[in-house]
Amino acid sequence: MTQPLSAEERATLKSAAFGAVYLVSNAEPGALSMIKESLAASNAFARTTGLVRELLTTGNLPQLPSGASADVPSTVLPALRRSVEILRAKAPAEVASYRSAVLHATEVVARAHDGISANEAAMMASVREALDSTE
């Protein structure tokens, strides 16, 4: 059973997913790689289905945390945990799809430019841990 999501909940889910992509992309900075990675993430999210597709591909661009790059994980990782909690409560059938979409997007982003670096792999592990922490 799916309950309607509030605008705030939708924003949390979208910001967390895009924030996860940002974390992995930012783990290995570079202008050319950022362009390739952004396209890879967009394509990954566009291939999702159902509620997850609607959440990640419609509406306004998400609000990503500002400030120093080192501060971003302290905002994004709790938002990922909160996103899973929201879905468990209101759309439990969508939890696996959301988790899969975020993990897939971070992987294609990491692979988009010269394969997965150690920094990207570490950030992907943090994202996975945040998504799994409520199980």
Side-chain angles (χ1 to χ4, degrees):
M1 181 165 132
T2 301
Q3 297 175 25
L5 299 173
S6 70
E8 181 181 334
E9 290 167 333
R10 288 175 170 271
T12 297
L13 289 155
K14 190 170 189 175
S15 294
F18 280 83
V21 167
Y22 174 80
L23 288 176
V24 173
S25 179
N26 209 37
E28 290 295 323
L32 179 59
S33 62
M34 190 183 313
I35 293 167
K36 286 182 179 180
E37 291 165 349
S38 294
L39 291 172
S42 295
N43 288 335
F45 287 151
R47 291 189 177 118
T48 58
T49 60
L51 177 63
V52 172
R53 179 184 172 94
E54 177 191 334
L55 289 167
L56 299 179
T57 63
T58 63
N60 295 330
L61 291 174
Q63 294 295 317
L64 296 177
S66 58
S69 294
D71 297 336
V72 175
S74 65
T75 302
V76 172
L77 298 175
L80 286 169
R81 287 189 284 278
R82 177 69 183 127
S83 294
V84 173
E85 291 169 358
I86 291 166
L87 290 174
R88 281 196 199 290
K90 293 197 167 185
E94 298 292 333
V95 173
S97 180
Y98 180 81
R99 183 182 178 283
S100 177
V102 172
L103 293 174
H104 177 68
T106 59
E107 183 175 340
V108 297
V109 163
R111 291 188 188 283
H113 188 75
D114 295 333
I116 300 174
S117 73
N119 288 342
E120 289 168 327
M123 193 54 67
M124 290 168 63
S126 295
V127 167
R128 180 180 302 277
E129 183 179 317
L131 290 168
D132 292 346
S133 68
T134 59
E135 290 185 330

